[in-house]
Amino acid sequence: MVTDTPPGMEIKTKQNGLPPFSVAAQWPRTAMNEQQWNIAGQRWAILRQVYPQEAQAWVEAAICHQKCGNHDTAESLLRTAMEQFPRHAGVAAAQIRHALICGKMEQADQLARAARDMFQRNLQVLHASAQAAQYCGKMEEALALNAQARTLFPEEPQAWEQYAELAMAAEDWPLALKRWAEVRVRFPKIATGYERAAVAANHLGDDRLARQLKAAREFGHQWLESLHQQNPLPAEEMKAPARSSFFSFVDLVLTKAKMNLKSEASQNYLRYLWWLIDPLLYMTVFYIFFGLILHRGGDNYLAYLLTGLVPFQWFSKTVQQSSNSIVAGKGLMHQVRLSPLFFPLVSIFQNLGKQMLVFIMLALFLILVDLPPTVYWLGFLPIFFVHLTLIVATSCLVAMIVPFIRDVAYLVPTAIQFLLFCSGVFIPLESIPEAWRVLFLVNPVANILHQYRLIFVHQSWPAWELLGWLALGASLALVFVLLGYRRLKSTFPRVVLE
């Protein structure tokens, strides 16, 4: 006996009102999604009493009974539904599919013909009729019915998926791959366009294409098509040079980073504005504490503070988000042959995309506080690229260590906080005793913040010698990290599962 009720149902019934059927239907569908077919069937039974005018309550209840093996009950439900809703195409289509499930091919064929006479231009009926024709061995009729569905409903993925499945049923794997490619172009977010195509690729013995298709489900069909454009030959004839593989990898990283940015923005009401609001709030807190409460600095202290905080926040956020990226990506690593370097690089470029807007906001602020652009701002480009090299080297190094020593991930935030107070973010370089300044600038983060302040606040050229040594050190560190990834490439998939 089921005693639970849909959320809000009891309250609304007492008020002589009911929630919309689409809302109430989520109650049994939740059980269906969890494959709790008995519970779902009982819930549909309750909704049939509350919403007697809704044919879908009968159809989906029949599906639940089919899953439980209660075919007689399912047939009885559909027969009753057809009596109550004789002009409902969904009920007619469900009857056809039920006959196919029960192995009653002739009955399914008869029901399909009767349904088409009654509903001549209905997608559900055409789809079920094509299924019936396929199961009865009438492939030409199935293709003709499917073609009619695709012509009448070109924007519905159901018809195009069936078009590809017909090729799968005929075991024409090259044709199936071609049709699934068309499905992906028309409906890039439909998972079956990638999953079922991967099955066809496996049947052809093309494991590499199957892995690419599985990866493309997450990274988008554009990336997959770009691979095909670069490697148009069949798999057995394909010998892509290392240069092509490198650009394919870079394209994959950029595509994934772009998709992550869009996904991140879509989850917020203010969307892309949060990329500006978040650092603005962060900087406001520190200015209130150090500038207004502690009365640190003097003229242009706010500009001095922001030119330190903005680059430092870019460094800190990227390193923290990248640190656990390889461990977080272990599922994909075991599905697709990807370099572990892929995962931290996605986080790096994802944060780079947001940081460009923050730098633009910083430039506008400097103009407002009477620090307009000068020729010295040209020094931003070399500083920026050295800074980016430092971020890539540090982020990839930490991400490489974490799978082997998981505790490092917990130390990263503390280390970042330590750097915040040891890199001159809040205090001018001039306040440090001259004897200690060289040692202070050995800290690469302090060095890079000093360079930004030279061009933006002091309006002078960067300290080229200091910047050069930093560029050399960051480049050597990056080479060391890349060699480490190359050496440990085959070890990561095993380590991340331990």
Side-chain angles (χ1 to χ4, degrees):
M1 184 70 180
V2 178
T3 57
D4 58 337
T5 57
M9 179 73 76
E10 184 179 345
I11 297 173
K12 290 181 177 289
T13 303
K14 288 180 179 179
Q15 297 172 348
N16 297 320
L18 291 171
F21 176 74
S22 59
V23 174
Q26 295 305 315
W27 180 47
R29 283 173 184 159
T30 299
M32 293 176 74
N33 291 336
E34 296 172 357
Q35 298 186 3
Q36 298 175 342
W37 306 112
N38 278 319
I39 294 175
Q42 293 169 348
R43 291 179 178 180
W44 283 119
I46 293 173
L47 291 194
R48 287 200 302 276
Q49 297 175 14
V50 181
Y51 300 89
Q53 76 284 4
E54 293 291 343
Q56 199 63 28
W58 298 80
V59 171
E60 300 208 35
I63 293 173
C64 294
H65 285 287
Q66 288 170 357
K67 295 291 185 179
C68 294
N70 303 326
H71 296 298
D72 291 341
T73 305
E75 186 172 352
S76 176
L77 284 168
L78 291 173
R79 190 186 309 114
T80 305
M82 200 62 191
E83 292 172 358
Q84 294 189 23
F85 311 100
R87 303 296 302 177
H88 195 283
V91 176
Q95 281 191 312
I96 298 169
R97 294 193 180 97
H98 178 72
L100 291 174
I101 290 172
C102 295
K104 301 176 181 178
M105 303 305 172
E106 291 186 9
Q107 181 183 351
D109 190 46
Q110 293 172 3
L111 288 170
R113 294 182 186 281
R116 290 201 301 277
D117 290 339
M118 186 176 298
F119 311 100
Q120 297 179 0
R121 300 170 65 88
N122 182 271
L123 175 60
Q124 294 183 68
V125 169
L126 288 171
H127 186 276
S129 296
Q131 278 185 315
Q134 174 194 339
Y135 279 60
C136 291
K138 304 175 181 178
M139 290 301 293
E140 291 186 5
E141 182 179 340
L143 285 168
L145 290 167
N146 175 262
Q148 186 179 354
R150 286 183 286 115
T151 302
L152 293 173
F153 307 96
E155 302 303 320
E156 293 295 331
Q158 187 179 14
W160 293 95
E161 288 178 280
Q162 186 182 56
Y163 184 47
E165 288 291 357
L166 289 172
M168 298 281 281
E171 298 186 358
D172 190 341
W173 309 119
L175 180 60
L177 282 175
K178 181 179 178 181
R179 290 180 180 177
W180 283 123
E182 190 169 1
V183 171
R184 292 194 299 273
V185 172
R186 289 176 176 271
F187 312 100
K189 296 183 179 181
I190 299 293
T192 51
Y194 306 93
E195 295 172 349
R196 296 292 289 160
V199 173
N202 280 327
H203 278 288
L204 285 172
D206 194 341
D207 295 336
R208 179 182 181 184
L209 177 58
R211 290 193 299 269
Q212 290 175 350
L213 285 160
K214 291 176 183 177
R217 176 184 172 182
E218 183 172 353
F219 306 131
H221 76 284
Q222 296 92 343
W223 167 71
L224 184 66
E225 296 305 320
S226 70
L227 289 183
H228 291 171
Q229 290 171 7
Q230 293 168 6
N231 304 304
L233 297 175
E236 60 272 12
E237 301 177 18
M238 200 183 308
K239 294 183 179 178
R243 178 181 175 86
S244 175
S245 299
F246 170 77
F247 283 111
S248 297
F249 178 75
V250 172
D251 183 58
L252 176 58
V253 170
L254 295 178
T255 300
K256 177 59 174 169
K258 182 170 65 174
M259 292 176 65
N260 285 358
L261 288 172
K262 290 182 179 179
S263 175
E264 181 182 337
S266 66
Q267 296 174 10
N268 305 314
Y269 287 110
L270 296 181
R271 295 177 68 82
Y272 300 102
L273 282 177
W274 272 115
W275 299 352
L276 300 178
I277 295 173
D278 178 55
L280 184 61
L281 292 174
Y282 180 80
M283 293 181 287
T284 300
V285 169
F286 282 103
Y287 175 69
I288 291 173
F289 184 76
F290 286 94
L292 301 182
I293 298 178
L294 297 182
H295 301 289
R296 292 291 179 91
D299 294 338
N300 287 333
Y301 179 69
L302 180 57
Y304 191 90
L305 178 66
L306 296 188
T307 50
L309 274 175
V310 166
F312 183 85
Q313 192 182 29
W314 178 24
F315 175 86
S316 65
K317 279 195 170 185
T318 305
V319 172
Q320 289 189 69
Q321 291 181 18
S322 303
S323 60
N324 207 43
S325 58
I326 295 178
V327 176
K330 61 184 178 182
L332 183 61
M333 190 186 301
H334 283 83
Q335 291 180 15
V336 186
R337 189 178 299 172
L338 276 174
S339 169
L341 189 61
F342 166 81
F343 300 100
L345 286 179
V346 168
S347 297
I348 291 166
F349 281 97
Q350 185 177 342
N351 279 282
L352 175 61
K354 293 189 285 187
Q355 187 64 26
M356 299 309 296
L357 290 176
V358 180
F359 272 126
I360 292 173
M361 184 177 67
L362 175 63
L364 293 175
F365 168 79
L366 292 174
I367 295 172
L368 289 176
V369 296
D370 202 25
L371 288 172
T374 65
V375 67
Y376 302 112
W377 280 32
L378 294 175
F380 171 79
L381 287 178
I383 297 172
F384 173 83
F385 285 113
V386 173
H387 192 187
L388 179 60
T389 305
L390 176 64
I391 288 173
V392 173
T394 307
S395 300
C396 292
L397 176 63
V398 175
M400 181 174 66
I401 294 172
V402 166
F404 296 91
I405 310 174
R406 301 293 173 91
D407 294 348
V408 171
Y410 300 105
L411 298 176
V412 170
T414 303
I416 293 294
Q417 198 71 14
F418 178 76
L419 273 177
L420 177 67
F421 293 98
C422 294
S423 302
V425 174
F426 309 111
I427 57 174
L429 181 64
E430 293 75 16
S431 64
I432 299 174
E434 190 169 351
W436 293 93
R437 289 181 191 175
V438 174
L439 182 61
F440 174 77
L441 291 174
V442 169
N443 175 356
V445 178
N447 187 337
I448 204 73
L449 299 188
H450 175 59
Q451 304 295 340
Y452 280 113
R453 282 163 170 164
L454 284 175
I455 63 170
F456 287 134
V457 180
H458 299 294
Q459 296 187 338
S460 62
W461 291 112
W464 295 113
E465 185 177 357
L466 284 173
L467 187 64
W469 281 111
L470 179 57
L472 177 62
S475 300
L476 290 175
L478 182 57
V479 170
F480 168 78
V481 169
L482 293 177
L483 291 175
Y485 272 93
R486 184 175 181 179
R487 184 179 182 85
L488 299 171
K489 181 179 179 180
S490 59
T491 308
F492 278 108
R494 173 180 55 82
V495 171
V496 294
L497 290 179
E498 294 178 353

